[in-house]
mmCIF file of all heavy atoms in Angstrom:
data_model
loop_
_atom_site.group_PDB
_atom_site.id
_atom_site.type_symbol
_atom_site.label_atom_id
_atom_site.label_comp_id
_atom_site.label_asym_id
_atom_site.label_seq_id
_atom_site.Cartn_x
_atom_site.Cartn_y
_atom_site.Cartn_z
ATOM 1 N N GLU Y 487 36.059 -60.212 37.212
ATOM 2 C CA GLU Y 487 34.885 -61.069 37.362
ATOM 3 C C GLU Y 487 34.829 -62.125 36.265
ATOM 4 O O GLU Y 487 34.540 -63.303 36.518
ATOM 5 C CB GLU Y 487 33.616 -60.215 37.338
ATOM 6 C CG GLU Y 487 33.455 -59.301 38.537
ATOM 7 C CD GLU Y 487 32.445 -58.199 38.277
ATOM 8 O OE1 GLU Y 487 31.691 -58.297 37.298
ATOM 9 O OE2 GLU Y 487 32.444 -57.227 39.049
ATOM 10 N N PHE Y 488 35.090 -61.711 35.031
ATOM 11 C CA PHE Y 488 35.006 -62.673 33.938
ATOM 12 C C PHE Y 488 36.139 -63.687 34.006
ATOM 13 O O PHE Y 488 35.965 -64.859 33.646
ATOM 14 C CB PHE Y 488 34.996 -61.965 32.582
ATOM 15 C CG PHE Y 488 34.015 -62.585 31.632
ATOM 16 C CD1 PHE Y 488 32.757 -62.049 31.463
ATOM 17 C CD2 PHE Y 488 34.321 -63.733 30.935
ATOM 18 C CE1 PHE Y 488 31.825 -62.625 30.615
ATOM 19 C CE2 PHE Y 488 33.409 -64.317 30.078
ATOM 20 C CZ PHE Y 488 32.165 -63.771 29.917
ATOM 21 N N ASP Y 489 37.290 -63.242 34.485
ATOM 22 C CA ASP Y 489 38.383 -64.192 34.666
ATOM 23 C C ASP Y 489 37.988 -65.272 35.659
ATOM 24 O O ASP Y 489 38.233 -66.467 35.448
ATOM 25 C CB ASP Y 489 39.630 -63.459 35.158
ATOM 26 C CG ASP Y 489 40.767 -64.407 35.471
ATOM 27 O OD1 ASP Y 489 41.133 -65.213 34.590
ATOM 28 O OD2 ASP Y 489 41.286 -64.356 36.605
ATOM 29 N N ARG Y 490 37.360 -64.847 36.750
ATOM 30 C CA ARG Y 490 36.929 -65.831 37.740
ATOM 31 C C ARG Y 490 35.821 -66.730 37.179
ATOM 32 O O ARG Y 490 35.821 -67.951 37.385
ATOM 33 C CB ARG Y 490 36.425 -65.111 38.984
ATOM 34 C CG ARG Y 490 35.965 -66.027 40.107
ATOM 35 C CD ARG Y 490 37.081 -66.988 40.523
ATOM 36 N NE ARG Y 490 36.639 -67.901 41.535
ATOM 37 C CZ ARG Y 490 37.263 -68.082 42.689
ATOM 38 N NH1 ARG Y 490 38.365 -67.393 42.957
ATOM 39 N NH2 ARG Y 490 36.814 -68.947 43.561
ATOM 40 N N ALA Y 491 34.878 -66.119 36.446
ATOM 41 C CA ALA Y 491 33.770 -66.888 35.884
ATOM 42 C C ALA Y 491 34.267 -67.948 34.907
ATOM 43 O O ALA Y 491 33.797 -69.096 34.927
ATOM 44 C CB ALA Y 491 32.787 -65.949 35.192
ATOM 45 N N ARG Y 492 35.214 -67.601 34.050
ATOM 46 C CA ARG Y 492 35.674 -68.580 33.066
ATOM 47 C C ARG Y 492 36.349 -69.769 33.730
ATOM 48 O O ARG Y 492 36.287 -70.892 33.232
ATOM 49 C CB ARG Y 492 36.610 -67.924 32.048
ATOM 50 C CG ARG Y 492 37.926 -67.397 32.615
ATOM 51 C CD ARG Y 492 38.831 -66.825 31.534
ATOM 52 N NE ARG Y 492 40.028 -66.193 32.090
ATOM 53 C CZ ARG Y 492 41.025 -65.726 31.368
ATOM 54 N NH1 ARG Y 492 40.986 -65.808 30.044
ATOM 55 N NH2 ARG Y 492 42.074 -65.159 31.946
ATOM 56 N N ARG Y 493 36.991 -69.536 34.873
ATOM 57 C CA ARG Y 493 37.670 -70.625 35.578
ATOM 58 C C ARG Y 493 36.669 -71.522 36.317
ATOM 59 O O ARG Y 493 36.762 -72.755 36.264
ATOM 60 C CB ARG Y 493 38.699 -70.054 36.548
ATOM 61 C CG ARG Y 493 39.813 -69.289 35.842
ATOM 62 C CD ARG Y 493 40.761 -68.603 36.814
ATOM 63 N NE ARG Y 493 41.691 -67.751 36.097
ATOM 64 C CZ ARG Y 493 42.815 -68.178 35.521
ATOM 65 N NH1 ARG Y 493 43.137 -69.465 35.603
ATOM 66 N NH2 ARG Y 493 43.601 -67.349 34.876
ATOM 67 N N GLU Y 494 35.703 -70.895 37.013
ATOM 68 C CA GLU Y 494 34.712 -71.691 37.730
ATOM 69 C C GLU Y 494 33.850 -72.500 36.761
ATOM 70 O O GLU Y 494 33.548 -73.674 37.004
ATOM 71 C CB GLU Y 494 33.841 -70.775 38.596
ATOM 72 C CG GLU Y 494 34.571 -70.182 39.792
ATOM 73 C CD GLU Y 494 33.625 -69.524 40.781
ATOM 74 O OE1 GLU Y 494 32.404 -69.773 40.682
ATOM 75 O OE2 GLU Y 494 34.094 -68.776 41.647
ATOM 76 N N TYR Y 495 33.447 -71.883 35.666
ATOM 77 C CA TYR Y 495 32.575 -72.573 34.715
ATOM 78 C C TYR Y 495 33.315 -73.677 33.981
ATOM 79 O O TYR Y 495 32.734 -74.715 33.651
ATOM 80 C CB TYR Y 495 31.982 -71.583 33.715
ATOM 81 C CG TYR Y 495 30.839 -70.764 34.280
ATOM 82 C CD1 TYR Y 495 30.988 -70.053 35.458
ATOM 83 C CD2 TYR Y 495 29.625 -70.686 33.638
ATOM 84 C CE1 TYR Y 495 29.953 -69.295 35.985
ATOM 85 C CE2 TYR Y 495 28.577 -69.932 34.141
ATOM 86 C CZ TYR Y 495 28.760 -69.237 35.317
ATOM 87 O OH TYR Y 495 27.737 -68.491 35.840
ATOM 88 N N PHE Y 496 34.588 -73.479 33.709
ATOM 89 C CA PHE Y 496 35.371 -74.533 33.062
ATOM 90 C C PHE Y 496 35.458 -75.747 33.984
ATOM 91 O O PHE Y 496 35.275 -76.896 33.553
ATOM 92 C CB PHE Y 496 36.776 -74.034 32.726
ATOM 93 C CG PHE Y 496 37.623 -75.040 32.005
ATOM 94 C CD1 PHE Y 496 37.596 -75.127 30.621
ATOM 95 C CD2 PHE Y 496 38.454 -75.915 32.702
ATOM 96 C CE1 PHE Y 496 38.367 -76.063 29.936
ATOM 97 C CE2 PHE Y 496 39.227 -76.853 32.043
ATOM 98 C CZ PHE Y 496 39.186 -76.930 30.655
ATOM 99 N N ALA Y 497 35.729 -75.500 35.272
ATOM 100 C CA ALA Y 497 35.801 -76.591 36.238
ATOM 101 C C ALA Y 497 34.458 -77.303 36.360
ATOM 102 O O ALA Y 497 34.393 -78.536 36.433
ATOM 103 C CB ALA Y 497 36.254 -76.059 37.595
ATOM 104 N N ALA Y 498 33.367 -76.514 36.376
ATOM 105 C CA ALA Y 498 32.038 -77.109 36.483
ATOM 106 C C ALA Y 498 31.700 -77.943 35.244
ATOM 107 O O ALA Y 498 31.158 -79.053 35.351
ATOM 108 C CB ALA Y 498 30.992 -76.020 36.691
ATOM 109 N N LYS Y 499 32.008 -77.413 34.081
ATOM 110 C CA LYS Y 499 31.712 -78.144 32.843
ATOM 111 C C LYS Y 499 32.532 -79.420 32.749
ATOM 112 O O LYS Y 499 32.033 -80.473 32.322
ATOM 113 C CB LYS Y 499 31.995 -77.244 31.638
ATOM 114 C CG LYS Y 499 31.463 -77.773 30.317
ATOM 115 C CD LYS Y 499 31.612 -76.724 29.213
ATOM 116 C CE LYS Y 499 30.976 -77.182 27.924
ATOM 117 N NZ LYS Y 499 31.074 -76.133 26.864
ATOM 118 N N LYS Y 500 33.779 -79.338 33.177
ATOM 119 C CA LYS Y 500 34.643 -80.519 33.164
ATOM 120 C C LYS Y 500 34.098 -81.599 34.092
ATOM 121 O O LYS Y 500 34.227 -82.797 33.814
ATOM 122 C CB LYS Y 500 36.058 -80.113 33.591
ATOM 123 C CG LYS Y 500 37.097 -81.207 33.452
ATOM 124 C CD LYS Y 500 38.470 -80.670 33.793
ATOM 125 C CE LYS Y 500 39.535 -81.759 33.643
ATOM 126 N NZ LYS Y 500 40.895 -81.240 33.983
ATOM 127 N N ALA Y 501 33.477 -81.159 35.194
ATOM 128 C CA ALA Y 501 32.907 -82.104 36.155
ATOM 129 C C ALA Y 501 31.474 -82.478 35.801
ATOM 130 O O ALA Y 501 30.826 -83.214 36.553
ATOM 131 C CB ALA Y 501 32.950 -81.500 37.556
ATOM 132 N N ASN Y 502 30.960 -81.953 34.671
ATOM 133 C CA ASN Y 502 29.575 -82.196 34.257
ATOM 134 C C ASN Y 502 28.616 -81.814 35.377
ATOM 135 O O ASN Y 502 27.719 -82.567 35.760
ATOM 136 C CB ASN Y 502 29.379 -83.664 33.873
ATOM 137 C CG ASN Y 502 28.071 -83.903 33.135
ATOM 138 O OD1 ASN Y 502 27.559 -83.001 32.461
ATOM 139 N ND2 ASN Y 502 27.512 -85.097 33.270
ATOM 140 N N ALA Y 503 28.826 -80.596 35.916
ATOM 141 C CA ALA Y 503 28.072 -80.153 37.087
ATOM 142 C C ALA Y 503 27.549 -78.740 36.896
ATOM 143 O O ALA Y 503 27.982 -77.995 36.007
ATOM 144 C CB ALA Y 503 28.972 -80.191 38.328
ATOM 145 N N LEU Y 504 26.585 -78.383 37.726
ATOM 146 C CA LEU Y 504 26.133 -76.998 37.791
ATOM 147 C C LEU Y 504 27.271 -76.109 38.297
ATOM 148 O O LEU Y 504 28.160 -76.590 39.008
ATOM 149 C CB LEU Y 504 24.937 -76.886 38.740
ATOM 150 C CG LEU Y 504 23.648 -77.603 38.333
ATOM 151 C CD1 LEU Y 504 22.678 -77.624 39.507
ATOM 152 C CD2 LEU Y 504 23.020 -76.922 37.129
ATOM 153 N N PRO Y 505 27.241 -74.811 37.973
ATOM 154 C CA PRO Y 505 28.292 -73.918 38.496
ATOM 155 C C PRO Y 505 28.053 -73.566 39.958
ATOM 156 O O PRO Y 505 27.892 -72.401 40.322
ATOM 157 C CB PRO Y 505 28.181 -72.692 37.572
ATOM 158 C CG PRO Y 505 26.751 -72.666 37.144
ATOM 159 C CD PRO Y 505 26.336 -74.111 37.037
ATOM 160 N N GLN Y 506 28.023 -74.580 40.801
ATOM 161 C CA GLN Y 506 27.868 -74.428 42.245
ATOM 162 C C GLN Y 506 28.949 -75.245 42.933
ATOM 163 O O GLN Y 506 29.276 -76.350 42.507
ATOM 164 C CB GLN Y 506 26.500 -74.920 42.718
ATOM 165 C CG GLN Y 506 25.325 -74.079 42.252
ATOM 166 C CD GLN Y 506 24.007 -74.618 42.793
ATOM 167 O OE1 GLN Y 506 23.833 -75.808 42.977
ATOM 168 N NE2 GLN Y 506 23.066 -73.722 43.046
ATOM 169 N N GLY Y 507 29.487 -74.672 43.995
ATOM 170 C CA GLY Y 507 30.499 -75.396 44.744
ATOM 171 C C GLY Y 507 31.881 -75.331 44.137
ATOM 172 O O GLY Y 507 32.757 -76.128 44.479
ATOM 173 N N PHE Y 508 32.124 -74.389 43.237
ATOM 174 C CA PHE Y 508 33.435 -74.231 42.617
ATOM 175 C C PHE Y 508 34.089 -72.923 43.034
ATOM 176 O O PHE Y 508 34.790 -72.277 42.269
ATOM 177 C CB PHE Y 508 33.317 -74.324 41.089
ATOM 178 C CG PHE Y 508 32.943 -75.693 40.609
ATOM 179 C CD1 PHE Y 508 31.612 -76.057 40.490
ATOM 180 C CD2 PHE Y 508 33.917 -76.641 40.339
ATOM 181 C CE1 PHE Y 508 31.249 -77.326 40.081
ATOM 182 C CE2 PHE Y 508 33.568 -77.923 39.920
ATOM 183 C CZ PHE Y 508 32.229 -78.274 39.787
ATOM 184 N N GLY Y 509 33.846 -72.530 44.268
ATOM 185 C CA GLY Y 509 34.412 -71.298 44.794
ATOM 186 C C GLY Y 509 33.348 -70.239 44.956
ATOM 187 O O GLY Y 509 32.240 -70.348 44.429
ATOM 188 N N MET Y 510 33.715 -69.187 45.702
ATOM 189 C CA MET Y 510 32.767 -68.117 46.011
ATOM 190 C C MET Y 510 33.188 -66.799 45.384
ATOM 191 O O MET Y 510 32.798 -65.737 45.830
ATOM 192 C CB MET Y 510 32.665 -67.967 47.532
ATOM 193 C CG MET Y 510 32.213 -69.229 48.277
ATOM 194 S SD MET Y 510 30.528 -69.688 47.888
ATOM 195 C CE MET Y 510 29.658 -68.413 48.797
ATOM 196 N N GLY Y 511 33.997 -66.869 44.337
ATOM 197 C CA GLY Y 511 34.528 -65.650 43.746
ATOM 198 C C GLY Y 511 33.497 -64.724 43.162
ATOM 199 O O GLY Y 511 33.719 -63.511 43.065
ATOM 200 N N LEU Y 512 32.341 -65.259 42.744
ATOM 201 C CA LEU Y 512 31.305 -64.434 42.133
ATOM 202 C C LEU Y 512 30.169 -64.132 43.103
ATOM 203 O O LEU Y 512 29.177 -63.518 42.720
ATOM 204 C CB LEU Y 512 30.749 -65.132 40.890
ATOM 205 C CG LEU Y 512 31.780 -65.410 39.785
ATOM 206 C CD1 LEU Y 512 31.146 -66.178 38.646
ATOM 207 C CD2 LEU Y 512 32.396 -64.129 39.277
ATOM 208 N N MET Y 513 30.304 -64.544 44.360
ATOM 209 C CA MET Y 513 29.293 -64.258 45.378
ATOM 210 C C MET Y 513 29.701 -62.981 46.092
ATOM 211 O O MET Y 513 30.332 -63.006 47.155
ATOM 212 C CB MET Y 513 29.180 -65.423 46.354
ATOM 213 C CG MET Y 513 28.731 -66.722 45.715
ATOM 214 S SD MET Y 513 26.999 -66.700 45.182
ATOM 215 C CE MET Y 513 26.164 -66.906 46.739
ATOM 216 N N ALA Y 514 29.351 -61.849 45.515
ATOM 217 C CA ALA Y 514 29.784 -60.568 46.072
ATOM 218 C C ALA Y 514 28.858 -60.076 47.170
ATOM 219 O O ALA Y 514 29.308 -59.654 48.237
ATOM 220 C CB ALA Y 514 29.879 -59.522 44.954
ATOM 221 N N LEU Y 515 27.561 -60.100 46.946
ATOM 222 C CA LEU Y 515 26.624 -59.509 47.884
ATOM 223 C C LEU Y 515 26.101 -60.492 48.914
ATOM 224 O O LEU Y 515 25.764 -60.090 50.034
ATOM 225 C CB LEU Y 515 25.438 -58.892 47.127
ATOM 226 C CG LEU Y 515 25.769 -57.690 46.242
ATOM 227 C CD1 LEU Y 515 24.517 -57.161 45.590
ATOM 228 C CD2 LEU Y 515 26.441 -56.594 47.047
ATOM 229 N N ARG Y 516 26.000 -61.758 48.561
ATOM 230 C CA ARG Y 516 25.422 -62.740 49.477
ATOM 231 C C ARG Y 516 26.273 -64.003 49.501
ATOM 232 O O ARG Y 516 27.107 -64.215 48.629
ATOM 233 C CB ARG Y 516 23.982 -63.080 49.069
ATOM 234 C CG ARG Y 516 23.042 -61.901 49.246
ATOM 235 C CD ARG Y 516 21.633 -62.233 48.776
ATOM 236 N NE ARG Y 516 20.734 -61.128 49.053
ATOM 237 C CZ ARG Y 516 20.583 -60.064 48.268
ATOM 238 N NH1 ARG Y 516 21.277 -59.983 47.143
ATOM 239 N NH2 ARG Y 516 19.756 -59.090 48.601
ATOM 240 N N ASP Y 517 26.043 -64.822 50.515
ATOM 241 C CA ASP Y 517 26.695 -66.119 50.619
ATOM 242 C C ASP Y 517 25.635 -67.215 50.566
ATOM 243 O O ASP Y 517 24.477 -66.984 50.922
ATOM 244 C CB ASP Y 517 27.478 -66.237 51.935
ATOM 245 C CG ASP Y 517 28.671 -65.294 51.973
ATOM 246 O OD1 ASP Y 517 29.181 -64.946 50.892
ATOM 247 O OD2 ASP Y 517 29.090 -64.913 53.081
#
Side-chain angles (χ1 to χ4, degrees):
E487 292 163 14
F488 221 97
D489 175 54
R490 181 57 183 233
R492 65 177 174 174
R493 297 174 188 277
E494 290 192 15
Y495 283 53
F496 183 88
K499 192 172 185 178
K500 187 175 181 180
N502 193 28
L504 295 168
Q506 292 181 327
F508 292 88
M510 301 294 287
L512 300 176
M513 298 290 283
L515 294 182
R516 293 177 175 84
D517 293 334

